Amino acid sequence: MDPLTPDELGRVRALATSSLCDADKTLALPDPAIRAMVSHARMAGPAVTVVAPDDHLPVLAAAGEAPAGSVLVVVNPRGARAVAGELVASEARRRGLAGMVIDGYCRDVAALRRIGLPVFARGTTPASGSARDPRGLDEGPVALGGVPVRPGDLVLGDDDGLAVATPDQLRAALAGAEEVERAEAAVLAGMGEGRDGRSLADHTNLAEHRAARAAGQDSSLRFLV
């Protein structure tokens, strides 16, 4: 499984996660309760994993070990305490990580938003975990919101949520996702402002598609742009 080239990864990062999910409806979707803590942030990068059972020491160590451009995927199997906050996010930003995903809680949300690093978590709590577990980066897969994530898998996220894919899946979905965004932009331009624009239905095969489905025929809804 070859990693994405810098050009391919740049194309992925330019796309909405929803567009990639439209292009490949088999992409794995972690529990949507793991959501963006920093709005208007878009993230894509290869996963590096860490297990942090109510202990932020493994996350602090992993933030200093993870390669630039990677996404730090943190799993807290206890899930009662925050295992990352302002300091870890600042270190991750300083070292050029693409973002951080926590299957558990974070804290210091106001500071996270100021730092701007994409951070996803189940929520926030002011109570920090302990600092006793000596492990750092994990070498194996973890379960992120019910989805297996292996080191090197691509983790994508924005305000809509998260998706996980192999490099080969994303490579195959790229052209389709770019076409989705091109078509949607053309539809929006054609709809224009107020009553002078064409309707959304006029930009699709809606009437024919509904008729075909009512007749039990195979059909796909598509844009006519």
Side-chain angles (χ1 to χ4, degrees):
M1 182 172 63
D2 293 330
L4 295 183
T5 66
D7 176 68
E8 290 169 334
L9 187 55
R11 290 167 64 191
V12 169
R13 287 175 172 159
L15 292 163
T17 303
S18 59
S19 300
L20 288 157
C21 288
D22 284 350
D24 183 349
K25 295 185 182 297
T26 70
L27 298 190
L29 304 176
D31 185 349
I34 305 174
R35 61 193 188 278
M37 299 289 107
V38 177
S39 60
H40 308 301
R42 187 174 289 180
M43 173 189 76
V48 292
T49 60
V50 58
V51 178
D54 273 353
D55 193 305
H56 61 260
L57 186 57
V59 187
L60 179 60
E65 298 167 354
S70 62
V71 173
L72 188 61
V73 176
V74 181
V75 174
N76 181 357
R78 295 179 186 168
R81 300 272 176 162
V83 294
E86 179 179 13
L87 296 179
V88 170
S90 295
E91 175 66 358
R93 171 62 84 187
R94 185 188 72 83
R95 299 195 65 254
L97 271 64
M100 179 165 51
V101 180
I102 306 166
D103 194 344
Y105 295 114
C106 66
R107 69 176 190 175
D108 305 330
V109 175
L112 297 182
R113 291 170 180 160
R114 184 178 67 250
I115 294 164
L117 180 80
V119 176
F120 295 75
R122 288 188 178 272
T124 65
T125 177
S128 176
S130 59
R132 300 174 59 85
D133 192 320
R135 79 184 97 183
L137 286 181
D138 202 302
E139 295 298 325
V142 296
L144 172 66
V147 169
V149 177
R150 297 159 296 186
D153 283 346
L154 275 295
V155 180
L156 325 169
D158 54 27
D159 285 346
D160 284 334
L162 295 165
V164 178
T166 66
D168 287 345
Q169 279 181 297
L170 287 186
R171 191 174 286 114
L174 262 175
E178 290 169 340
E179 173 57 21
V180 166
E181 296 206 351
R182 184 207 66 79
E184 289 188 352
V187 168
L188 289 170
M191 290 172 68
E193 297 286 341
R195 295 181 179 273
D196 293 334
R198 295 171 61 210
S199 72
L200 176 57
D202 286 342
H203 287 86
T204 71
N205 66 331
L206 178 62
E208 295 83 356
H209 174 62
R210 291 183 68 201
R213 295 305 301 147
Q217 299 170 359
D218 191 27
S219 177
S220 297
L221 182 67
R222 64 183 187 276
F223 293 126
L224 303 177
V225 290

